């Protein structure tokens, strides 16, 4: 773990940040330490046809939202009634989770909520037209474009999601950026998860109400054109290091690395509804990640989203139904020259395999699909030398809810990382299917094969699986390859 590249130690100076056709910057440049960034209206000169998010302050409900500031709110019933009163479309939601979260607070927590946190949410939401003074482009499919926001602007957007002011987008390729479903139990079983998520969100606003952060966050959509997709089988890249870590987690121990988000193709997945696995956890401990859900269209197979600079506000314990908010996290990551924390998350969605389709994952079609996805997620500009490329912190991508095979997927990720000249740190999360991982990797290293050769081995394995009559006795990928190496 100590030998792999991490930021900031491995990073190269960024140079001056300038607006350009692939960037929209919502604050004035240059960013300076210890100053809250000021809003900017300068448009980027975009060659592409842009479409924009419709902002709540241009709609009918805004006058009602403004009224919230003058309301006396001291009980949970008043709280939910007043938010719901801003928009008739909110009537059908009970907001019972929001009510419960506040009811379960002790007296002093409630006092802080009513005196500080909720008034901050209102004022931060209402500041939106003063803070974001140019339209927000939709990060549409096939677009290489980045949006640069200050952390204060992110908070204002999230405060609007809390007050449920954004309309449901007319396009199905976008999420609805609102907390309505998080505030309400829609299906049985999710109550505890939603309560814990909401505690994280409320704690984020409490922290912001006391201290306005001065940093910035970038949301970058990247698209790899089909003609730029490498020919996997002929890759001469030698395999990079894969370090197995059995006890750590991506966000805790992958500090300074490119941290993989095991994403849904609609970024954020079910974070604003009932889900509570890797992606949702990552997003609620660092709520600025949720901002991506406002403007990011569904990812295509050859797309990934990089989010740079988010701050972690919450600690947590448990996972899924046992997840609980475990208090404040004080994020001590340094900021880069553009004001962003040295925390890079990449959202990449694996393929979901239904129970009766699990076996299809070894086909060339899905192998190529996953490889393309990992490649677009891991690639760097050609000018960036290998020594400046951080390692990738990943793990059982696509192997939980999505039912992938971690042995097969780990090798796919290793090929992609190697072709992008980056080491990989693999957090196994104690998955039993990877019990022989370290010895397998040691054997693989001694074979000195190229990425292309490993790819061809995976193709061969897929062919082997497809010829089996009974899938029960299938030889696992690691065993299959180990036997093959030995027999050579
Ligand atoms: N660090 C390292 N490994 C982890 C961590 C962590 N913090 N958390 C979980 N794992 P899953 P998927 C391991 O199911 O299959 C979401 O709803 C653990 O072994 O989240 O790609 C998204 O929005 C776990 O079983 O990823 C998508 O809709 C495995 O990673 C969907 O789930 C996979 O985690 C994606 O499902």
């Amino acid at each position: 773990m100590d030998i792999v590249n991490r930021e900031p130690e491995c990073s190269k100076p960024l140079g001056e940040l300038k607006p350009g056709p692939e960037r929209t910057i919502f604050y004035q440049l240059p960013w300076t330490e210890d100053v809250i960034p000021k809003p900017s209206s300068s448009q980027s000169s975009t060659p592409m046809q842009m479409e924009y998010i419709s902002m709540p302050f241009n709609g009918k409900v805004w006058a009602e939202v403004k009224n919230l500031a003058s309301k006396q709110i001291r009980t949970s019933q008043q709280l939910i009634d007043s938010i719901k009163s801003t928009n008739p479309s909110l009537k059908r939601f009970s907001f019972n989770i929001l009510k419960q979260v506040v009811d379960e607070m002790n007296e002093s927590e409630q006092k802080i909520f009513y005196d500080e946190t909720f008034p901050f949410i209102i004022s931060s939401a209402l500041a939106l037209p003063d803070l974001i003074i140019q339209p927000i482009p939709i990060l549409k499919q096939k677009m290489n474009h980045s949006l640069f926001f200050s952390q204060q602007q992110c908070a204002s957007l999230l405060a609007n999601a809390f007050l449920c002011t954004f309309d449901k987008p007319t396009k199905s390729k976008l999420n609805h950026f609102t907390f309505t479903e998080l505030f309400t139990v829609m299906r049985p079983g999710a109550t505890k998860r939603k309560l814990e998520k909401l505690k994280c969100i409320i704690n984020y606003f409490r922290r912001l109400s006391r201290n306005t952060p001065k940093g910035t966050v970038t949301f970058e959509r990247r698209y790899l054109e089909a003609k730029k997709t490498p020919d996997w089988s002929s890759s001469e890249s030698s395999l990079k290091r894969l370090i197995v870590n059995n006890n750590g987690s991506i966000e805790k121990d992958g500090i300074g690395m490119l941290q993989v988000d095991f994403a849904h193709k609609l970024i954020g997945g079910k974070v604003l509804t009932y889900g509570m696995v890797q992606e949702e956890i990552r997003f609620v401990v660092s709520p600025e990640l949720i901002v991506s859900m406002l403007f990011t269209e569904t990812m295509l197979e050859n797309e990934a989203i990089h989010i740079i600079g988010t701050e972690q506000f919450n600690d947590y314990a448990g996972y899924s139904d046992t997840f609980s908010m475990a208090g404040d996290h004080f994020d001590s990551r340094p900021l880069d020259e553009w004001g962003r924390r040295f925390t890079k998350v990449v959202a990449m969605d694996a393929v979901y395999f239904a129970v009766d389709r699990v076996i299809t994952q070894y086909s060339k079609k899905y192998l190529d699909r996953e490889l393309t996805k990992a490649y677009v997620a891991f690639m760097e500009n050609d000018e960036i030398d290998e020594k400046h490329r951080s390692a990738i912190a990943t793990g059982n991508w696509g192997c939980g809810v999505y039912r992938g095979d971690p042995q097969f997927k780990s090798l796919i990720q290793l090929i992609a990382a190697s072709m992008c000249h980056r080491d990989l740190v693999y957090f196994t999360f104690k998955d039993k299917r990877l019990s022989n991982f370290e010895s397998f990797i040691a054997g693989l290293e001694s074979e000195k094969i190229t990425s292309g050769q490993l790819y061809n081995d995976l193709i061969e394995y897929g062919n082997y699986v497809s010829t089996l009559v009974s899938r029960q006795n299938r030889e696992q990928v690691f065993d299959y390859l180990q036997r093959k190496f030995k027999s050579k």
Side-chain angles (χ1 to χ4, degrees):
M1 286 276 281
D2 294 337
I3 47 179
V4 300
N5 283 352
R6 295 180 192 243
E7 294 185 338
E9 293 77 11
C10 75
S11 17
K12 175 181 168 205
L14 293 167
E16 189 188 341
L17 174 60
K18 294 192 189 117
E22 296 198 339
R23 288 173 179 163
T24 305
I25 303 167
F26 291 87
Y27 51 85
Q28 289 175 20
L29 296 174
W31 174 83
T32 9
E33 227 175 310
D34 293 328
V35 181
I36 297 170
K38 291 199 180 60
S40 151
S41 61
S42 62
Q43 300 271 0
S44 61
S45 52
T46 37
M48 250 199 265
Q49 197 57 39
M50 287 289 204
E51 281 179 46
Y52 300 95
I53 294 296
S54 74
M55 296 298 263
F57 48 76
N58 295 324
K60 289 198 295 281
V61 301
W62 197 248
E64 301 297 329
V65 180
K66 279 182 166 166
N67 282 337
L68 285 178
S70 57
K71 284 198 174 148
Q72 246 304 7
I73 298 167
R74 300 303 304 181
T75 68
S76 59
Q77 194 61 45
Q78 286 168 350
L79 172 74
I80 66 173
D81 289 345
S82 55
I83 300 179
K84 284 169 69 172
S85 71
T86 58
N87 191 337
S89 73
L90 301 175
K91 279 215 174 69
R92 67 191 182 90
F93 297 96
S94 75
F95 282 20
N96 53 345
I97 296 287
L98 177 59
K99 186 170 185 315
Q100 190 174 340
V101 119
V102 181
D103 286 342
E104 285 178 5
M105 289 176 185
N106 65 32
E107 210 175 309
S108 75
E109 287 166 343
Q110 281 189 356
K111 187 167 162 33
I112 292 172
F113 181 78
Y114 291 125
D115 288 350
E116 299 177 39
T117 313
F118 193 59
F120 170 78
I121 292 174
I122 296 173
S123 62
S124 169
L126 289 175
L128 189 64
D130 304 318
L131 285 175
I132 296 191
I133 56 177
Q134 57 175 310
I136 302 180
I138 297 174
L139 294 182
K140 286 164 66 75
Q141 293 182 337
K142 304 191 177 175
M143 224 163 111
N144 278 299
H145 197 86
S146 303
L147 305 182
F148 290 71
F149 291 103
S150 67
Q151 287 184 280
Q152 187 189 29
Q153 290 169 329
C154 290
S156 178
L157 291 168
L158 287 166
N160 273 279
F162 196 97
L163 299 182
C164 313
T165 64
F166 278 100
D167 286 336
K168 199 179 168 82
T170 44
K171 298 202 161 165
S172 59
K173 285 178 194 155
L174 282 177
N175 262 301
H176 187 191
F177 187 65
T178 179
F179 289 178
T180 37
E181 289 197 31
L182 189 56
F183 290 163
T184 308
V185 162
M186 312 287 287
R187 51 160 90 181
T191 304
K192 162 97 163 72
R193 280 182 251 155
K194 288 188 177 181
L195 283 171
E196 295 301 320
K197 286 199 235 194
L198 205 45
K199 284 184 199 166
C200 290
I201 302 286
I202 290 174
N203 191 48
Y204 160 76
F205 285 119
R206 185 189 60 80
R207 294 273 297 277
L208 270 277
S209 73
R210 295 179 168 196
N211 175 29
T212 308
K214 302 182 178 79
T216 64
V217 181
T218 304
F219 300 87
E220 175 194 350
R221 185 179 194 111
R222 16 162 90 193
Y223 165 69
L224 180 72
E225 286 169 71
K227 64 171 193 268
K228 290 191 182 152
T229 310
D231 175 23
W232 313 115
S233 71
S234 63
S235 167
E236 298 281 338
S237 302
S238 52
L239 292 179
K240 293 288 291 179
R241 244 183 322 235
L242 186 152
I243 292 166
V244 179
N245 181 309
N246 291 315
N247 300 311
S249 68
I250 294 171
E251 68 283 357
K252 237 197 207 134
D253 305 277
I255 296 249
M257 304 180 199
L258 178 63
Q259 302 180 350
V260 176
D261 159 20
F262 304 153
H264 186 273
K265 64 181 182 214
L266 198 50
I267 195 168
K270 304 287 179 271
V271 65
L272 296 182
T273 55
Y274 54 84
M276 197 76 254
V277 286
Q278 195 255 2
E279 173 163 57
E280 289 88 355
I281 294 174
R282 193 73 185 80
F283 277 46
V284 292
V285 299
S286 304
E288 290 153 348
L289 290 167
I290 298 173
V291 173
S292 63
M293 297 170 75
L294 171 64
F295 41 69
T296 308
E297 280 190 355
T298 311
M299 283 182 265
L300 295 171
E301 300 190 345
N302 44 3
E303 294 186 309
I305 315 291
H306 275 221
I307 305 178
I308 306 163
T310 54
E311 179 171 350
Q312 187 176 340
F313 288 89
N314 301 300
D315 273 329
Y316 74 94
Y319 190 74
S320 188
D321 282 333
T322 63
F323 173 90
S324 64
M325 191 274 193
D328 277 318
H329 180 94
F330 295 101
D331 192 331
S332 58
R333 301 293 297 146
L335 306 188
D336 71 15
E337 301 147 72
W338 297 353
R340 308 173 303 181
R341 281 197 159 59
F342 277 104
T343 298
K344 261 190 198 157
V345 174
V346 60
M348 52 192 255
D349 56 302
V351 177
Y352 167 77
F353 296 104
V355 181
D356 56 345
R357 305 270 304 152
V358 169
I359 205 74
T360 61
Q361 69 182 291
Y362 307 104
S363 64
K364 181 173 184 305
K365 173 180 162 191
Y366 289 121
L367 167 59
D368 287 357
R369 191 277 182 201
E370 302 295 61
L371 206 41
T372 308
K373 177 66 67 168
Y375 183 81
V376 66
F378 300 164
M379 69 187 185
E380 277 283 18
N381 285 342
D382 291 342
E383 312 94 73
I384 300 184
D385 192 86
E386 201 169 322
K387 66 174 187 282
H388 295 304
R389 298 181 182 211
S390 68
I392 288 149
T394 188
N396 303 325
W397 171 54
C399 301
V401 178
Y402 281 7
R403 298 200 186 85
D405 171 351
Q407 295 196 2
F408 200 67
K409 277 281 205 300
S410 64
L411 297 178
I412 294 177
Q413 294 186 82
L414 175 61
I415 295 171
S418 302
M419 292 179 67
C420 298
H421 311 290
R422 307 176 84 150
D423 289 331
L424 200 137
V425 178
Y426 195 106
F427 296 93
T428 64
F429 226 63
K430 301 197 169 73
D431 193 308
K432 293 201 176 58
R433 296 169 290 181
L434 293 171
S435 54
N436 56 344
F437 203 8
E438 281 172 283
S439 64
F440 172 77
I441 290 296
L444 181 65
E445 274 171 6
S446 64
E447 290 300 313
K448 304 253 178 293
I449 62 174
T450 62
S451 299
Q453 283 166 324
L454 182 56
Y455 171 82
N456 292 328
D457 287 340
L458 294 186
I459 291 281
E460 188 188 305
Y461 179 76
N463 292 337
Y464 150 77
V465 173
S466 69
T467 58
L468 290 178
V469 188
S470 158
R471 273 128 193 199
Q472 300 306 324
N473 304 322
R474 176 170 65 85
E475 191 174 19
Q476 301 294 315
V477 193
F478 288 173
D479 291 340
Y480 181 93
L481 293 183
Q482 235 155 7
R483 195 171 43 74
K484 182 180 163 167
F485 297 150
K486 272 200 199 113
S487 70
K488 261 201 295 190

